[in-house]
Amino acid sequence: MENLSCESGLTRPQNKSMRSRSRRRGFTLVELLVVLAILGLLVGLVGPQVMKALGGSKTKTARIQIEDLSATLDIYRLELGRYPTTNDGLQALVENTAGASNWNGPYLKKNQVPKDPWGFDYQYRSPGEHGSFDIWSLGADNREGGEGENQDILGWE
């Protein structure tokens, strides 16, 4: 065996030290900075697109919830002969706020009125200005008007 190591021109101790040096070798600072710069570029390019898609999905969720609440209000009207008043609000779907004898609720599965995707209450008015009732969300900023994610989601459009 010693002949083999002599033929390669390396003695055992030298061969061992080269192997231990190659094991200790890690990434250089420049390599790490390049990787961090690439990751930063990816986050800068992809991040806004992800946030835009997330905002769009919340708007779609609000529209779907408004449609579901509208359908539930129609069932309420079929059973009681009228929609809940503005004072009764959407709470009339989970508790008999009007004291009606033919109330067959709760009309919502979880026995609570859902919040909009931003955690705020849906707005309700009956009689409505745009139909028998109006239901809408004020968007992410919980204020009338706005653009993008802050815009109102209206149940009558």
Side-chain angles (χ1 to χ4, degrees), residues 46-110:
V46 174
Q49 298 301 321
V50 170
M51 295 308 288
K52 188 171 142 184
L54 180 62
S57 67
K58 284 187 176 186
T59 299
K60 288 177 187 174
T61 300
R63 288 189 196 287
I64 291 168
Q65 284 182 329
I66 287 172
E67 288 175 16
D68 287 347
L69 287 170
S70 296
T72 305
L73 285 164
D74 288 336
I75 293 169
Y76 180 96
R77 184 184 144 272
L78 285 172
E79 292 188 0
L80 274 76
R82 64 174 181 81
Y83 290 107
T85 64
T86 301
N87 288 339
D88 293 337
L90 295 173
Q91 196 61 32
L93 298 174
V94 292
E95 62 184 66
N96 191 357
T97 57
S101 61
N102 52 344
W103 189 83
N104 291 320
Y107 295 92
L108 297 172
K109 287 183 183 179
K110 294 184 180 179

